[in-house]
Amino acid sequence: MTDLDTIYNAYNEITDAGANAPQHVEAYSQIIAGAQGTEGTKRLAAQFIPTFFKHFPDLHLRAIDGIFDLCEDLLPVVRQAAIKCLPSLCKDGPQHTIKIADVLCQLLQLDDEDLVIVQGALQTLLVQSPREVLAVLFTQGIKGIELRDKTVAFITNEVVTAFRTGLVADPEIELFFVDEMQKVMGSVSDNELEAFAKIIMQTTLYKSGKLGGLAGLSHIYVNHITSEVPWNINNPDSIKRVLVAGKLSMPLFQRNISADVLLEFFAIHILPRKEFEQLTDKQRAHVLRLYTDSIATGHPSLQVLNQAGGLLGDLLVMTVPAEQDSATPVEFAQVECLVLALNLFTKDPDLLERDDLVARFRSLYNSTQIQLSSIKQAIKVASSMAPQDAEQVATIKTLTRTQTIHNNIHTLVKAC
């Protein structure tokens, strides 16, 4: 077994050799062997293996394996010293970067101080060889069940920091980073999808408008709705995925990216009456608000508008009774969205002149006109009461919101 004296003698022999250091293969072999020795030889091996690594390319694999063994050592001081030196091995032997990056990615499973050391080494390697490290993070880390959470955390923290602070500033690398995120977006969780989307929107390429292919994000979001778990309108998780997709798409729509993909999904899977009837009132309000916002900001094509117009008319007929004195309760939050959406279809006279719709418009116009007076009086009474406790403040807030909804409906119906 290699002892401390042997390691020190080997170190002095290679150091004294100067330019002839590569000739002292046996001495370096003894240093590598120290990785299998005592605590003392291991600590020296962790220090000396990277010091002379560049001189002995024929021993690179043995040297790397020795360091890898030390990365799993029971002694923290040995383990952490070995982890810290891994980026330097890549600097002197760039052909080994993928292999070493993969090991560092696996080591993200460690905890506490060890994890901090691993993250620091991986970030150093990221700055040295960003493309290789990013490739490993997305092909190995994201796909690994045990590694996934910590890999995502590393990407959303350390990787993003490297780009934001200029440690990694190559536009081609940033584009590669975005491409890798887009590749995995179809199979990530809602939280991961949102995290990656926010990262993309912070990139220089996105902010400068150079990501022409970013329109594909809308497609990715919609694919995310139906990926892995089949679409099921009765599944609350499916509805949640729709809402996440829409929420993340809004910044894209505001940058002149079409909402057609998302709107088409609605027209096929949600707006038909037999599907819509399966939603709860709360779900209906949320999805209609999202749909209306997407129409208003998402530059829909005429084809998409035509596809959904009749469906929206059917839903308004379903939601609003033909006679204002009907005992059927009206969900005005849903009606507000439906009327706003239909208001955007005013270029289609055939749609708005449907007898059943005209009857609903007339009913809504009359009923909201009457109720606006009652709501206004209720707000006046509630506001005059003093002192106002939390419950009273909440009541005024609710009445004010109700007044806004009714006023919007009244104005929109009049415009139709």
Side-chain angles (χ1 to χ4, degrees):
M1 179 180 291
T2 304
D3 57 22
L4 288 174
D5 287 340
T6 301
I7 299 292
Y8 277 120
N9 290 336
Y11 172 83
N12 291 329
E13 179 181 330
I14 297 173
T15 300
D16 294 342
N20 295 321
Q23 299 176 14
H24 297 261
V25 174
E26 181 59 31
Y28 191 58
S29 296
Q30 291 173 339
I31 290 175
I32 295 174
Q36 307 300 323
T38 63
E39 176 185 344
T41 64
K42 289 177 181 178
R43 294 177 68 170
L44 292 179
Q47 180 181 349
F48 296 160
I49 288 176
T51 300
F52 302 121
F53 185 74
K54 62 183 178 181
H55 297 306
F56 304 96
D58 291 342
L59 296 180
H60 274 186
L61 295 181
R62 282 181 56 194
I64 290 172
D65 287 342
I67 292 295
F68 286 169
D69 288 340
L70 295 177
C71 288
E72 299 178 351
D73 198 80
L74 296 177
L75 294 170
V77 65
V78 172
R79 185 171 63 244
Q80 293 170 9
I83 293 171
K84 287 180 180 178
C85 83
L86 288 175
S88 68
L89 300 184
C90 297
K91 198 169 185 179
D92 293 330
Q95 68 273 26
H96 306 296
T97 298
I98 291 289
K99 181 177 182 179
I100 291 174
D102 183 65
V103 168
L104 279 171
C105 188
Q106 297 293 328
L107 291 174
L108 286 172
Q109 297 178 70
L110 298 177
D111 297 313
D112 303 325
E113 187 177 351
D114 284 347
L115 177 59
V116 174
I117 301 296
V118 172
Q119 291 172 335
L122 196 53
Q123 188 171 42
T124 298
L125 189 54
L126 172 69
V127 175
Q128 290 177 199
S129 306
R131 185 178 294 271
E132 290 82 357
V133 172
L134 290 172
V136 169
L137 289 172
F138 283 100
T139 58
Q140 303 299 326
I142 293 293
K143 292 181 180 179
I145 296 176
E146 296 180 352
L147 288 173
R148 189 180 186 95
D149 288 346
K150 288 188 176 179
T151 301
V152 170
F154 183 82
I155 291 171
T156 55
N157 292 305
E158 276 72 19
V159 175
V160 171
T161 297
F163 281 105
R164 187 177 65 249
T165 58
L167 291 175
V168 177
D170 187 343
E172 290 188 7
I173 298 300
E174 189 177 59
L175 180 59
F176 178 76
F177 178 43
V178 171
D179 286 342
E180 290 299 301
M181 278 191 287
Q182 288 185 339
K183 288 177 185 177
V184 302
M185 274 180 159
S187 59
V188 297
S189 69
D190 293 334
N191 289 337
E192 291 166 349
L193 177 71
E194 186 166 4
F196 286 168
K198 287 179 178 178
I199 291 171
I200 291 175
M201 293 172 191
Q202 293 172 10
T203 60
T204 301
L205 292 172
Y206 177 77
K207 291 179 179 179
S208 64
K210 294 180 180 178
L211 280 177
L214 201 60
L217 270 179
S218 291
H219 294 263
I220 291 170
Y221 295 155
V222 176
N223 290 338
H224 176 69
I225 295 170
T226 56
S227 65
E228 295 189 350
V229 180
W231 165 256
N232 180 359
I233 199 165
N234 293 310
N235 185 345
D237 288 338
S238 290
I239 303 301
K240 180 182 178 182
R241 292 166 84 85
V242 173
L243 298 175
V244 169
K247 177 183 177 182
L248 297 178
S249 294
M250 287 302 158
L252 303 180
F253 303 156
Q254 293 167 4
R255 295 177 68 88
N256 296 320
I257 293 176
S258 174
D260 278 3
V261 174
L262 188 61
L263 296 174
E264 287 175 346
F265 182 88
F266 268 80
I268 295 171
H269 297 285
I270 299 177
L271 296 183
R273 181 166 177 169
K274 65 178 182 179
E275 278 78 27
F276 192 79
E277 286 179 326
Q278 299 177 60
L279 299 175
T280 66
D281 282 334
K282 185 176 182 180
Q283 290 173 333
R284 290 177 184 180
H286 283 314
V287 298
L288 286 175
R289 174 58 62 187
L290 170 59
Y291 184 79
T292 305
D293 289 345
S294 299
I295 291 178
T297 62
H299 321 284
S301 65
L302 183 60
Q303 179 182 358
V304 167
L305 293 178
N306 290 337
Q307 182 182 19
L311 298 173
L312 293 170
D314 292 342
L315 294 184
L316 187 65
V317 170
M318 180 190 84
T319 307
V320 179
E323 300 297 332
Q324 68 181 76
D325 59 349
S326 170
T328 304
V330 177
E331 295 291 337
F332 285 99
Q334 298 175 34
V335 172
E336 179 188 23
C337 294
L338 286 168
V339 174
L340 176 57
L342 286 167
N343 190 263
L344 299 172
F345 288 80
T346 52
K347 294 181 180 180
D348 184 356
D350 293 336
L351 169 63
L352 297 181
E353 292 176 4
R354 281 173 44 177
D355 290 341
D356 53 358
L357 274 185
V358 171
R360 268 63 181 185
F361 290 152
R362 185 183 302 112
S363 174
L364 285 171
Y365 183 83
N366 292 331
S367 63
T368 53
Q369 188 172 37
I370 294 171
Q371 291 183 47
L372 277 169
S373 298
S374 299
I375 296 170
K376 184 177 180 180
Q377 182 61 29
I379 292 175
K380 183 178 179 180
V381 172
S383 300
S384 65
M385 297 176 63
Q388 293 182 357
D389 56 18
E391 183 177 352
Q392 192 66 16
V393 171
T395 298
I396 295 173
K397 184 176 181 181
T398 300
L399 286 169
T400 302
R401 171 59 182 153
T402 302
Q403 181 184 42
T404 301
I405 291 174
H406 280 68
N407 190 60
N408 288 342
I409 293 172
H410 188 74
T411 303
L412 290 167
V413 168
K414 184 177 179 179
C416 287

